[in-house]
């Protein structure tokens, strides 16, 4: 999703040592891109993360060595995967979300595979049930986050809705990501389209632009450099107290702080949330399809699903997975997030992004 919200980027932003690259080198038969029989290659966005012992357990049990290639933000990674689909970089792609899903399916990026454990995925996250080209892995909410200290010091109530963001009180306070290059940026655009409709969202963005919204390329820049509420943003002297991020960002600010604060320094504007779901798929021309299938199965195991929240700051999709108490306390999912039918996203996304670019960036 990925934004993003993940521990790798947050760790860097909080001044910590970045999580190690999750790359295990195969033997001499690994076949360049990981297509050898004992190496399986996962292609993902930069926010992929898993605990070392959990990954090692899969490698020991399956006999496959996992090689991970990270290709930027979700939008960039998807575009590159499509461009290289005839000669893919790996076997499995992880990180396409519901805002970009149709692009991958229309371009024939994935081959059919019904993962073991698919019956344990919560029904609301299942898609493409007739062909099983993608497997749901995680979910999260794209939401505006706010810097609690900023609003408290100025005795200004934080915004509570999309509508509040265009009010004079919040002029020049919001930073968001480019909808054409960033997954959370696109999610925020779709959230406004879901809220205001096909005809109403452009007028909303005209007002938002007039109210001083700042647009940057990706989540890491927005959250860790521009946003005054994050640890990274404080170090970078960010001056925007509102940022498009995730409902799960506040728990990360608590978990990675030393010492841990008793409350999260950032909050979520619940009335600005758009629900995302991330998927994995077996690449159509995978060099090691059997290894790819085993890896996708692993992503749905309870072990991985339980491990995932505190590594990638997303919610599991498996019905019996455990959610950490830090999430329920500091980053519960939005109560009534905006959603959009994938077919509608597919029909309008590209035109909306073009219109958004003309309205906001020119």
């Amino acid at each position: 999703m990925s934004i993003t919200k993940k521990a790798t980027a947050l760790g860097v932003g909080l001044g910590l040592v970045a999580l190690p690259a999750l790359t295990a080198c195969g033997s001499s038969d690994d076949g360049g891109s990981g297509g050898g029989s004992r190496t399986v290659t996962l292609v993902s966005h930069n926010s992929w993360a898993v605990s070392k012992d959990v990954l090692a357990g899969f490698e020991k049990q399956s006999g496959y060595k996992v090689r991970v290639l990270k290709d930027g933000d979700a939008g960039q990674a998807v575009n590159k995967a499509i461009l290289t689909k005839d000669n893919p970089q790996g076997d499995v792609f992880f990180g396409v979300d519901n805002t970009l899903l149709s692009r991958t399916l229309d371009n024939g990026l994935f081959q059919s595979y019904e993962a073991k454990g698919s019956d344990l995925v919560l029904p609301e996250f299942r898609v493409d049930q007739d062909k099983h080209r993608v497997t749901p892995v995680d979910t999260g909410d794209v939401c505006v986050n706010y810097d609690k200290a900023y609003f408290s010091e100025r005795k200004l109530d934080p915004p509570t809705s999309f509508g509040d963001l265009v009010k004079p009180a919040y002029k020049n306070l919001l930073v968001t990501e480019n909808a054409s290059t960033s997954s959370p940026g696109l999610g925020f655009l779709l959230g406004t389209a879901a809220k205001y409709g096909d005809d109403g969202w452009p007028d909303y963005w005209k007002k938002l632009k007039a109210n001083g919204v700042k647009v940057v390329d990706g989540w890491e820049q927005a959250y860790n450099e521009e946003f005054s509420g994050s640890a990274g943003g404080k170090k970078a002297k960010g001056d925007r107290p509102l940022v498009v991020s995730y409902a799960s960002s506040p728990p990360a600010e608590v978990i990675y702080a030393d010492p841990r604060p008793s409350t999260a320094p950032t909050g979520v504007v619940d009335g600005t949330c758009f629900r995302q779901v991330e998927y994995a798929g077996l690449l159509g021309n995978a060099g090691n399809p059997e290894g790819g299938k085993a890896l996708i199965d692993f992503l749905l195991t309870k072990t991985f699903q339980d491990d995932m929240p505190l590594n990638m700051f997303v919610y599991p999709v498996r019905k019996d997975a455990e959610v950490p108490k830090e999430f329920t306390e500091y980053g519960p999912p939005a109560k009534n997030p905006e959603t959009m039918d994938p077919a509608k996203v597919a029909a309008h996304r590209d035109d909306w992004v073009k219109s958004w670019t003309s309205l906001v960036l020119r």
Side-chain angles (χ1 to χ4, degrees):
M1 267 172 193
S2 299
I3 89 223
T4 61
K5 65 250 172 220
K6 318 292 193 187
T8 48
L10 286 167
V12 173
L14 292 166
L16 303 175
V17 177
L19 291 174
L22 302 176
T23 301
C25 296
S27 60
S28 60
D29 69 342
D30 49 46
S33 68
S37 62
R38 305 322 304 164
T39 298
V40 58
T41 299
L42 176 75
V43 182
S44 181
H45 48 56
N46 285 343
S47 300
W48 159 266
V50 63
S51 296
K52 283 185 176 180
D53 59 336
V54 171
L55 184 62
F58 165 72
E59 292 182 327
K60 182 177 180 180
Q61 179 272 327
S62 68
Y64 292 107
K65 289 291 185 179
V66 178
R67 184 168 177 254
V68 179
L69 297 178
K70 298 180 180 181
D71 266 342
D73 200 347
Q76 296 170 324
V78 166
N79 290 339
K80 187 170 182 179
I82 291 171
L83 290 172
T84 60
K85 69 175 183 176
D86 293 333
N87 186 26
Q89 295 178 287
D91 306 300
V92 173
F93 185 91
F94 165 77
V96 58
D97 64 36
N98 51 311
T99 69
L100 295 169
L101 179 61
S102 65
R103 184 176 295 169
T104 64
L105 299 183
D106 292 346
N107 280 278
L109 189 61
F110 303 118
Q111 58 182 290
S112 178
Y113 176 63
E114 185 173 4
K116 295 176 182 178
S118 293
D119 57 322
L120 296 173
V121 172
L122 290 163
E124 60 265 34
F125 301 127
R126 300 178 191 177
V127 296
D128 196 43
Q129 290 295 284
D130 56 337
K131 296 183 179 178
H132 299 288
R133 289 169 292 181
V134 290
T135 299
V137 177
D138 66 72
T139 184
D141 297 320
V142 173
C143 310
V144 171
N145 284 205
Y146 66 92
D147 178 355
K148 290 181 178 179
Y150 177 94
F151 290 96
S152 176
E153 290 166 3
R154 289 160 179 77
K155 295 181 171 54
L156 175 64
D157 290 333
T160 62
S161 65
F162 285 115
D164 283 351
L165 297 176
V166 301
K167 293 180 178 179
Y170 307 106
K171 188 176 180 65
N172 298 326
L173 301 189
L174 175 66
V175 58
T176 189
E177 301 84 1
N178 189 324
S180 67
T181 59
S182 167
S183 175
L186 178 57
F188 186 59
L189 168 58
L190 294 179
T192 64
K195 175 68 176 178
Y196 294 105
D198 299 6
D199 298 325
W201 74 261
D203 286 338
Y204 174 78
W205 275 92
K206 288 177 184 177
K207 294 176 183 176
L208 203 59
K209 182 178 181 180
N211 212 39
V213 65
K214 184 173 185 177
V215 179
V216 297
D217 286 340
W219 178 87
E220 291 189 38
Q221 182 182 356
Y223 192 84
N224 283 328
E225 297 179 21
E226 302 287 346
F227 179 45
S228 63
S230 69
K234 287 182 174 68
K235 289 184 66 175
K237 301 188 184 305
D239 60 0
R240 295 267 165 163
L242 297 171
V243 64
V244 172
S245 191
Y246 292 86
S248 54
S249 295
E253 291 294 336
V254 173
I255 291 166
Y256 285 98
D258 185 17
R260 283 194 180 190
S262 58
T263 60
T266 60
V268 170
V269 182
D270 198 64
T272 63
C273 297
F274 178 81
R275 181 142 296 168
Q276 285 185 314
V277 183
E278 281 189 308
Y279 307 91
L282 183 64
L283 289 165
N285 291 296
N288 185 1
E290 293 308 310
K293 292 174 183 178
L295 182 56
I296 292 174
D297 290 345
F298 166 64
L299 300 180
L300 278 189
T301 61
K302 190 173 187 300
T303 299
F304 181 84
Q305 290 277 303
D306 287 348
D307 179 71
M308 184 172 59
L310 292 181
N311 278 294
M312 295 199 285
F313 288 85
V314 288
Y315 277 84
V317 296
R318 182 170 161 141
K319 62 178 69 174
D320 60 348
E322 297 179 15
V323 177
K325 62 180 176 55
E326 291 92 342
F327 270 45
T328 57
E329 184 173 356
Y330 302 115
K335 295 177 181 177
N336 296 293
E338 299 292 342
T339 59
M340 188 174 291
D341 186 281
K344 184 169 184 177
V345 175
H348 296 284
R349 180 192 55 238
D350 292 345
D351 287 339
W352 283 346
V353 169
K354 288 178 183 177
S355 297
W356 178 90
T357 301
S358 296
L359 282 171
V360 181
L361 300 185
R362 296 176 184 169

